Amino acid sequence: MTLLEEQITLYQALTVLADQLIPLLPGWSIKPDTREPDSDPPFQVILVRKDGAEIHLSTHWRDHTRLEVSGYYPVVPFFREGNRGAGATRPDISVSITRPATAIANEITRRFLPAYVPLYTNAVAQHQQQTDHKAAVKALAEQIAATLGTADI
């Protein structure tokens, strides 16, 4: 089996698993694949919630019997993870991909989501604060430029 065929097979298996997980994880749906049709298969399937939170499902790069579960965070320079302590990492879990979907959903609900959701919420709030700050700085700069009668900044 070629590497490309292996990637396609793994992606198909992840897609089947995601389809089984959706009814077990209320509020989550499969994020549509928006890649170009001729591109390589993705290495992960993404579950998404209405607020933008994402659960990334992939197989371990060395052991394809392990399902890696991780999350997405908005881009926030110098993202602070709250009071998790110095050197804290973003949560992820590993689960045997041979377990039933109900067991995997239970592990995601019990082990991953309680750690991920607060960090995601914090990252979204920090991202919004930075976006608001940048807009306020830009507005002030434009006001100063207009007052001084200078061109666009």
Side-chain angles (χ1 to χ4, degrees):
M1 179 181 287
T2 68
L3 179 59
L4 180 60
E5 290 169 334
E6 185 179 344
Q7 287 175 326
I8 291 170
T9 301
L10 287 171
Y11 179 68
Q12 290 170 338
L14 287 172
T15 302
V16 169
L17 176 60
D19 284 336
Q20 295 170 351
L21 289 174
I22 290 303
L24 305 170
L25 297 169
W28 295 89
S29 60
I30 296 175
K31 185 174 184 177
D33 182 4
T34 57
R35 296 170 308 106
E36 295 295 320
D38 293 336
S39 64
D40 287 340
F43 63 92
Q44 64 185 352
V45 173
I46 300 172
L47 307 183
V48 65
R49 205 169 58 178
K50 287 182 181 179
D51 67 354
E54 294 180 0
I55 299 174
H56 293 206
L57 305 174
S58 60
T59 57
H60 187 275
W61 68 276
R62 203 181 315 165
D63 180 359
H64 296 306
T65 66
R66 301 299 299 173
L67 177 69
E68 297 289 323
V69 179
S70 60
Y72 157 82
Y73 302 85
V75 176
V76 180
F78 311 111
F79 174 56
R80 298 176 303 278
E81 296 185 8
N83 58 6
R84 291 181 53 82
T89 58
R90 296 176 180 176
D92 59 33
I93 64 168
S94 174
V95 180
S96 173
I97 203 164
T98 60
R99 294 182 70 189
T102 53
I104 293 173
N106 287 339
E107 292 297 317
I108 290 171
T109 301
R110 183 178 66 83
R111 294 174 43 214
F112 177 70
L113 291 177
Y116 168 68
V117 171
L119 286 179
Y120 174 77
T121 302
N122 186 17
V124 168
Q126 288 183 36
H127 182 266
Q128 187 60 52
Q129 287 173 348
Q130 289 182 4
T131 300
D132 294 346
H133 177 74
K134 287 178 185 178
V137 167
K138 183 179 180 194
L140 179 60
E142 289 171 351
Q143 181 182 8
I144 292 169
T147 301
L148 297 175
T150 61
D152 289 335
I153 51 170

